[in-house]
Amino acid sequence: MKPQTFIKIAHLVCYMSSAARGLLDEPLLYGPMRLIESIISLIEIIEEEGIADSELLRIKKVINQEKYGVRNNLIQLRNFLEILVIDISEWLDNLY
Amino acid sequence: MKGSIVNIYSTILTRRSIRLYKNKKISRSTLDELIEVGRWAPSGNNSQPWFFIIIDDSKMIKKLKSISPGILCVPAFILIICSSYKGYNFNLAQREVLNLMAISMAAQNIILYAHSIGIGTCLIRSFHQKAIRKLLGCPEWIQPELLIIGGYPDQTVSAPSRKKLDEIRYFNKWEN
């Protein structure tokens, strides 16, 4: 593992623990957004290691494009996540 | 006043929360202007219960971002407004309320002035106060209360909905 990858993982661990604490007092909609941010960070970690494929990078691009637009609207967020789950599960399926 | 002279009414109505920024630094002198307008906000008993910590180092920004889940992007700066819990006389409950009111007004000054000179901002409250205090080496009587992230905008945000004036405004009595 590259040293910069380890640093990114450390940041993600810190982020997720801080998010977990904050979510105890924050609105319901914030939870999915924190997980979405974590997904982006995980893809960036895979990218850092040079093993991200084009589909994963496409998924990251889509998430980054859409996350601001859906963050305050439950219906839009639900629709976005429905598509995201299908995309990511298809990506996973194709790894085998 | 530096920058262009703009109508305050228009500035208030056109300010938006900006969450995407260009990868471009903001000068220390401009950041100082933001603090200057912040410190002229009103405060109860003129207590001025604020301290302003500006983070413009990229490594520190990354560290802060990791304990501030409300930050979704990489800003040019993070301005932490802290309240002070020593040096003037109110009971604790009053002090907490008055401190928050004063800090909110300082923040409003800052984000409006920033907008008037072309800098986008967004207020963030989702962060871990104790972790930030420790990371920055603040004493116990300093409480980080509010983050203002900012930078040159890399997005255009349309106006969010607002309650109508008739729904929220009364003259003289609670009736229409």
Side-chain angles (χ1 to χ4, degrees):
Chain A
M1 183 187 293
K2 297 174 186 171
Q4 58 266 38
T5 307
F6 182 74
I7 292 289
K8 287 197 171 188
I9 291 171
H11 275 283
L12 179 58
V13 169
C14 187
Y15 171 85
M16 291 180 80
S17 60
S18 179
R21 169 61 191 91
L23 286 169
L24 291 174
D25 306 317
E26 291 177 336
L28 181 69
L29 269 180
Y30 286 21
M33 293 309 300
R34 302 295 184 251
L35 287 171
I36 286 170
E37 285 301 312
S38 301
I39 292 169
I40 293 169
S41 296
L42 280 168
I43 295 175
E44 285 174 351
I45 287 165
I46 296 169
E47 205 177 345
E48 184 76 49
E49 284 292 291
I51 51 175
D53 57 42
S54 58
E55 177 59 8
L56 194 59
L57 295 177
R58 185 196 69 79
I59 289 169
K60 186 187 95 170
K61 190 176 175 185
V62 169
I63 297 172
N64 274 323
Q65 281 171 346
E66 299 295 325
K67 67 178 184 180
Y68 295 104
V70 300
R71 59 191 294 279
N72 290 321
N73 184 306
L74 183 59
I75 296 168
Q76 287 179 356
L77 181 58
R78 180 175 281 127
N79 291 339
F80 167 68
L81 288 173
E82 286 286 344
I83 295 167
L84 184 64
V85 171
I86 298 299
D87 280 357
I88 291 179
S89 59
E90 282 179 357
W91 167 77
L92 178 66
D93 190 29
N94 288 329
L95 291 180
Y96 290 88
Chain B
M1 174 184 163
K2 294 181 182 176
S4 59
I5 296 172
V6 290
N7 182 304
I8 187 76
Y9 186 81
S10 160
T11 300
I12 291 168
L13 266 57
T14 57
R15 185 207 60 80
R16 303 284 176 264
S17 291
I18 301 296
R19 294 181 174 85
L20 274 177
Y21 305 101
K22 291 176 180 164
N23 184 18
K24 187 180 173 188
K25 285 255 178 194
I26 290 181
S27 71
R28 289 274 172 96
S29 61
T30 301
L31 292 170
D32 267 349
E33 285 177 31
L34 299 183
I35 307 305
E36 180 65 10
V37 297
R39 79 185 182 94
W40 280 98
S43 60
N45 202 32
N46 195 28
S47 58
Q48 303 173 56
W50 43 57
F51 286 89
F52 304 90
I53 303 174
I54 303 167
I55 309 297
D56 63 353
D57 172 79
S58 59
K59 277 186 184 167
M60 280 298 283
I61 287 174
K62 280 182 189 170
K63 287 181 186 176
L64 262 173
K65 189 174 180 295
S66 292
I67 49 177
S68 310
I71 302 177
L72 304 180
C73 60
V74 181
F77 69 88
I78 302 173
L79 199 167
I80 303 149
I81 310 184
C82 304
S83 62
S84 160
Y85 280 87
K86 75 171 184 183
Y88 68 105
N89 296 319
F90 290 108
N91 70 42
L92 186 61
Q94 272 183 316
R95 182 179 291 194
E96 283 173 353
V97 171
L98 289 171
N99 277 6
L100 284 175
M101 290 170 76
I103 277 157
S104 301
M105 289 186 277
Q108 181 80 330
N109 278 8
I110 290 168
I111 64 177
L112 289 175
Y113 178 69
H115 173 51
S116 77
I117 59 171
I119 295 172
T121 58
C122 185
L123 298 174
I124 305 288
R125 177 71 180 183
S126 290
F127 59 89
H128 198 283
Q129 289 175 302
K130 285 182 186 170
I132 285 192
R133 187 197 285 143
K134 191 160 187 180
L135 178 67
L136 303 179
C138 300
E140 283 292 310
W141 50 273
I142 285 292
Q143 179 80 314
E145 298 284 11
L146 192 60
L147 308 186
I148 301 177
I149 61 170
Y152 293 106
D154 199 21
Q155 68 175 157
T156 307
V157 178
S158 55
S161 65
R162 280 288 179 268
K163 290 177 183 173
K164 290 178 182 165
L165 195 62
D166 285 348
E167 295 175 50
I168 56 170
R169 182 259 293 118
Y170 301 90
F171 285 115
N172 301 319
K173 277 201 166 189
W174 185 269
E175 58 187 21
N176 279 320

